[in-house]
Amino acid sequence: MADDKADGNPAEEVQVPIIEENEHKQAEVPPRKNIIPGKFFQVKRVSGLLSVVSFVFSLPVLSSVIWLLYMKSYDCEWLFKLPSLQIGISIGLICVFFICNAALFLRARMQMVGIVVVMVPLTVMFTIGLAFLGANSMENRRIPATPLWFEMKIHDNELWSNIKECIYDTGVCRDLALTSTKLKSYDFSMKKLSSVESGCCRPPADCPLQYVNATFWEKNDQMQTDSDTYNPDCDLWKNDRDALCYDCLTCRQGYMKALRSKWLKLGAFLVCMALLLISSHLSLFLVTMWELHIS
């Protein structure tokens, strides 16, 4: 019996450390996260919705490329080399479209890299749009198609000499004369004219001239003008159809106004689309990080 007691004690001593070791291993197992399935699927749904919204917002960018490439350039616009700028902007917008959608595809694997890569072209797009709109802190006379750049081109006499010849060759004033032959003075004053027709094909409204037809005006001695507010363009008007008011400042301003309107629209489009895409991609980035955190 003494031998049995002696044999039983070592077995108990071996069994106790094994039990204690198993309990210690169980204690080291980290607790599992308490994931709420409903919350996870809700975040997943928001993430998918933002992905679709971001893709939809990128479609107008691609559509604008088609508009820029196939849109007819304004008369004589090639003298400013602006069609080349149109092509450059179109290529840039194509790059923005592909970068934005590549970021959507890779967002689950490279979140930080994706958001940085997509923000750079969108910020450039936003800055260029502000320049076209004439934001004082963003534009420069050296940046083509900005208001200051157009203002500088107005006073370039050598360039304007080529422009007015081009305007004459397009027959804008000739067409106005042909379509207004039967109009009386009142009817012609009510006719809606383009900025080029109003500035180049007729004298300024404040000149002491009387209407005969669209491109022929007689001097009216009965009209009194104030010497302080006298418009010097009145002296530049000629009834010669080869001259008319092509040398007038109103002609330069009217042509630049027509030319600038297209680039103002493009600037507004770039700013709006950049803001929409920045907002959607930032929101998607935050939702993606939240999704990774709770999964």
Side-chain angles (χ1 to χ4, degrees), residues 6 17 22 30 37 57 70 75 99 115 117 131 138 140 153 177 193-194 205-206 227 234 244 259 262 288:
N22 292 336
F57 282 165
Y70 289 95
D75 292 332
I99 289 173
I115 193 65
V117 169
M138 294 294 178
N140 189 294
K153 293 298 181 181
L193 304 178
S194 68
D206 56 351
S227 58
C234 298
L244 298 180
L259 192 62
K262 178 180 74 174
T288 302

Side-chain angles (χ1 to χ4, degrees), residues 214-233:
T215 57
F216 192 93
W217 297 68
E218 291 180 342
K219 189 173 181 180
N220 189 352
D221 296 329
Q222 296 180 353
M223 292 183 63
Q224 297 180 353
T225 57
D226 189 353
S227 58
D228 295 333
T229 60
Y230 184 73
N231 191 341
D233 282 348

Side-chain angles (χ1 to χ4, degrees), residues 79-97:
L79 291 169
F80 298 92
K81 299 181 180 179
L82 290 179
S84 301
L85 180 62
Q86 276 185 213
I87 295 174
I89 293 176
S90 300
I91 294 173
L93 291 176
I94 291 174
C95 294
V96 169
F97 174 80

Side-chain angles (χ1 to χ4, degrees), residues 41-55:
F41 288 116
Q42 185 177 3
V43 174
K44 197 79 173 176
R45 191 180 301 114
V46 173
S47 176
L49 179 62
L50 286 174
S51 298
V52 174
V53 170
S54 299
F55 173 73

Side-chain angles (χ1 to χ4, degrees), residues 187-241:
D187 297 327
F188 182 78
S189 64
M190 298 301 293
K191 182 180 177 65
K192 186 176 180 180
L193 304 178
S194 68
S195 57
V196 175
E197 291 173 335
S198 178
C200 303
C201 304
R202 55 157 294 172
D206 56 351
C207 291
L209 297 171
Q210 186 174 0
Y211 171 85
V212 177
N213 60 45
T215 57
F216 192 93
W217 297 68
E218 291 180 342
K219 189 173 181 180
N220 189 352
D221 296 329
Q222 296 180 353
M223 292 183 63
Q224 297 180 353
T225 57
D226 189 353
S227 58
D228 295 333
T229 60
Y230 184 73
N231 191 341
D233 282 348
C234 298
D235 295 329
L236 297 175
W237 167 262
K238 296 178 182 178
N239 286 317
D240 183 0
R241 292 194 177 184

Side-chain angles (χ1 to χ4, degrees), residues 5-30:
K5 289 181 180 180
D7 295 335
N9 290 336
E12 292 177 359
E13 291 176 358
V14 172
Q15 188 175 4
V16 170
I18 293 175
I19 295 174
E20 291 179 352
E21 185 177 354
N22 292 336
E23 291 177 353
H24 182 66
K25 287 182 179 181
Q26 292 176 0
E28 289 180 352
V29 176

Side-chain angles (χ1 to χ4, degrees), residues 140-153:
N140 189 294
R141 288 182 184 271
R142 296 181 180 179
I143 302 177
T146 60
L148 281 180
W149 186 82
F150 280 122
E151 190 69 25
M152 179 183 67
K153 293 298 181 181

